[in-house]
Amino acid sequence: MALLPILTYPDPRLHTVAKPVIDFDDALRSFVADMIETMYHANGIGLAATQVNVHKRLVVVDTSETRDQAMVLINPEITWASADKQLGDEGCLSVPGIYDGVERAVAIKVKAQDDHGRWRQIDASGTQAVCIQHEMDHLLGKVFVEYLSPLKRNRIKTKMLKAQREAERA
Ligand code: K1U
Ligand code: ZN
């Protein structure tokens, strides 16, 4: 297994639209194992393939307390979303140190394939529902800061670029 480097905002590659997964082979399963290891190592509750510069419709999520319930969602589609929405703070491994409020559906139903290509349905609510919606946005090339005002987004962009320049100099 391997740790994968995570792209940081405002890297333009984060805005790439991911393509469906076609081949459910050993290479895909090895990539899924690397995604899960990378998510745990970064203390994330989710990770989208887009964030590691792989533009396939694949995300991993684990919102369990025990951190041993990783789910892989391949070619995910939201089939139902509650009309009930809630504003909650979100973070992102691609935007380290930034947390801000985003409005999301409180509950969703998602159909997705596992790493053998089997379709299943997931009923998610609370943090898990929020996390899946956040990860599926990544697959569309959307980062959560795009829900914020242009003023906030530009401040975040400037802060990230400054931090990246300082890290390069160190
Ligand atoms: O997509 C990602 O970068 C993963 C992201 C998922 C996420 C967190 C919070 C709300 C929505 C989606 C993270 O895991 S950020 C990591 C983090 O700081 C965090 C971890 C647990 C709960 C809340 C935040
Ligand atoms: Zn994210």
Side-chain angles (χ1 to χ4, degrees):
M1 287 202 286
L3 289 178
L4 307 168
I6 298 175
L7 300 176
T8 48
Y9 185 80
D11 191 312
R13 293 171 289 183
L14 285 168
H15 303 303
T16 311
V17 178
K19 296 207 161 68
V21 171
I22 309 282
D23 297 319
F24 292 82
D25 54 13
D26 286 347
L28 178 78
R29 286 182 281 278
S30 169
F31 175 61
V32 168
D34 291 347
M35 288 275 293
I36 292 170
E37 188 185 7
T38 303
M39 171 181 69
Y40 286 143
H41 183 261
N43 292 320
I45 55 171
L47 186 68
T50 309
Q51 292 176 276
V52 296
N53 200 28
V54 173
H55 302 289
K56 293 182 180 171
R57 292 189 54 79
L58 186 158
V59 310
V60 294
V61 170
D62 187 352
T63 54
S64 70
E65 296 263 306
T66 46
R67 313 283 291 143
D68 59 358
Q69 308 283 317
M71 281 192 337
V72 54
L73 307 184
I74 300 176
N75 298 327
E77 301 290 344
I78 294 179
T79 55
W80 175 84
S82 65
D84 193 13
K85 290 178 193 270
Q86 201 169 359
L87 183 70
D89 267 3
E90 296 191 10
C92 182
L93 299 172
S94 294
V95 198
I98 304 292
Y99 297 87
D100 214 321
V102 177
E103 197 176 70
R104 303 277 190 190
V106 168
I108 52 172
K109 289 184 195 291
V110 184
K111 76 170 196 181
Q113 286 168 285
D114 67 13
D115 56 1
H116 286 88
R118 297 174 290 228
W119 285 97
R120 59 203 179 109
Q121 183 174 294
I122 299 110
D123 290 0
S125 58
T127 305
Q128 190 181 54
V130 169
C131 187
I132 292 173
Q133 290 171 80
H134 175 115
E135 302 311 332
M136 287 182 66
D137 272 352
H138 276 303
L139 302 181
L140 297 172
K142 186 160 185 169
V143 180
F144 86 101
V145 298
E146 287 162 54
Y147 289 105
L148 309 179
S149 69
L151 178 67
K152 273 192 182 177
R153 194 164 57 247
N154 279 327
R155 281 188 181 151
I156 292 166
K157 204 178 274 184
T158 304
K159 191 174 169 180
M160 291 292 121
L161 288 170
K162 186 164 176 263
Q164 284 160 26
R165 276 198 302 273
E166 281 168 6
E168 276 162 24
R169 272 214 308 272

